[in-house]
Amino acid sequence: MSSSTTGSTALPAGTLLLLMALTALGQMATNLVVPSLGRITADLALELEQAGLILSAVLVGIGLGQLVVGPLSDRHGRRPVLLGGLTLFILAGVLATFASSGPMLLLARLLQGLGASAGLALPRAIARDRFAGPVFLRVMSLLTLAMAIMPGLAPVLGSGIAAQFGWRASLAVTALCGALVMLAVLLALPESHHSRTREGGLAATLGSYRKVLRNRVFLAFALGTAASIGGAYAEVAATQRIYEGLFGWGALAVSLVPASYALGFLAGGLLAPRLRRSPAQLVQIGTLMMLGSAATFLALSVAGLLSPGLAIGLTVLSQMGVGFMAPPAIALALMAVEGAAGTASAVLGALHMAVGALGAGMIGALPLPVQIGLPGSMLGFAAIAALALRQR
């Protein structure tokens, strides 16, 4: 029985909030410690250059873990795989809280990312199992928004927690949040995938991946959304170099800039459904917003006319474009694949993480001034998204 025939047109608020919390869990764990990185490296005798590993360890775990949990959930069901992932997330959070050395903390963060991968990949698969039509599109929009706004919100929360109780309390909060979400899953989230088979082992898993990776429509939307996320990560990664290094802003002002980016994504995601356009049209509008803002940013930089206000405004416009296009494009990607929603969600998530990491790393690697390298990267990723989406 396919998910398209069992999808509901009802949208229980409790289920939606739980799926959003699951989706945001990994980003919360990644970014809650951002304000404490300097203190953590000092207390655990890590090199300052290793501070980024405290964040990237979680992201690596999320990216790799999705490739495992997705196919497992197609074979064994969403609920047991999700509960297993949450258990690992909680235990790793406790280990991180009491870590006595840098290597122990990095191992715990990697394990926490592996556990969080279930919370990121499986809500999309559960939504594909349970919902249909416009309701499914709305759910996917809200899940994407939950994941996108957390990187801007979590550092603000983490700063307050660390100021009052120290950096270990921020790590403890990640374990506590995982425990609360797990309790909610146990009480209120039944199994949604009833047409699974447990036969086939590795051959069946590889078959699921072949099915997904040979689907041209899925690949077009997957590559398009991955490129948009690569551009978004590049924008966040360049924040300090742009506003502190180029414009001379203080640390507090610089820390608020990513929050404005998250608000731009949120505004785009909330505004898009109100335009009453088809999902494909929303994808096109969002892609054009990304292309236009990046091209304008680059032109102003080349002409020497870039100001902080223009830089923020154009970047927020680009993030709004991602908010327009990513939720419906992700939904359309999952709708293109029948019978392997977990595997499709895993491929999506892993691709997003990989290209996001590429976007973040590109800013420091390009031999260009940041005011040229950033909009050039934005324009390149937007162009890749446009080209990929033309192939569907």
Side-chain angles (χ1 to χ4, degrees), residues 145 149 260-274 316 319-321 323-324:
L145 291 176
I149 65 174
S260 71
Y261 297 169
L263 289 175
F265 190 107
L266 180 63
L270 294 177
L271 176 62
R274 300 180 183 276
V316 168
Q319 293 276 351
M320 286 183 66
F324 261 79

Side-chain angles (χ1 to χ4, degrees), residues 2 39 46 52 76 83 91 130 143 145 163 167-168 180 192 196 206 229 288 365 369 371:
S2 73
R39 174 56 59 186
L46 285 167
H76 300 289
L83 291 172
L91 294 176
R130 293 192 57 169
L143 293 185
L145 291 176
W167 62 265
R168 292 186 185 275
L180 293 174
S192 63
R196 60 189 183 274
L206 294 176
I229 290 171
L288 288 174
Q371 66 269 31

Side-chain angles (χ1 to χ4, degrees), residues 141-231:
S141 177
L142 292 172
L143 293 185
T144 306
L145 291 176
M147 180 184 69
I149 65 174
M150 188 53 67
L153 179 62
V156 179
L157 298 175
S159 178
I161 294 169
Q164 293 295 319
F165 306 105
W167 62 265
R168 292 186 185 275
S170 297
L171 292 167
V173 165
T174 67
L176 176 61
C177 289
L180 293 174
V181 171
M182 184 173 180
L183 179 61
V185 170
L186 286 168
L187 295 176
L189 193 65
E191 180 58 57
S192 63
H193 184 41
H194 302 292
S195 58
R196 60 189 183 274
T197 176
R198 299 192 181 191
E199 300 176 355
L202 179 61
T205 299
L206 294 176
S208 294
Y209 274 114
R210 282 195 296 270
K211 178 179 182 180
V212 170
L213 295 175
R214 289 176 177 175
N215 188 308
R216 182 171 177 174
V217 175
F218 170 84
L219 287 177
F221 285 115
L223 291 172
T225 55
S228 73
I229 290 171

Side-chain angles (χ1 to χ4, degrees), residues 16 35 59 63 86 90 133 135 162 204 242 264 280 284 288 301 337 352 368 385 388:
L16 175 60
L59 296 176
L86 289 171
I90 296 165
V135 173
I242 285 277
Q284 292 177 342
L288 288 174
S301 294
V337 180
H352 289 173
L368 295 169

Side-chain angles (χ1 to χ4, degrees), residues 301-372:
S301 294
V302 171
L305 300 176
L306 188 67
S307 67
L310 286 171
I312 291 177
L314 289 168
T315 308
V316 168
L317 180 62
S318 176
Q319 293 276 351
M320 286 183 66
V322 181
F324 261 79
M325 69 85 67
I330 291 172
L332 291 169
L334 293 176
M335 291 170 66
V337 180
E338 288 290 343
T343 303
S345 181
V347 172
L348 267 174
L351 188 60
H352 289 173
M353 286 293 169
V355 179
L358 175 64
M362 181 179 294
I363 294 301
L366 289 175
L368 295 169
V370 67
Q371 66 269 31
I372 302 296

Side-chain angles (χ1 to χ4, degrees), residues 220-222 224-225 283-284 287 325 329 384-392:
F221 285 115
T225 55
V283 170
Q284 292 177 342
T287 305
M325 69 85 67
I384 291 171
L387 290 173
L389 292 167
R390 285 179 61 89
Q391 305 305 311
R392 68 184 191 275

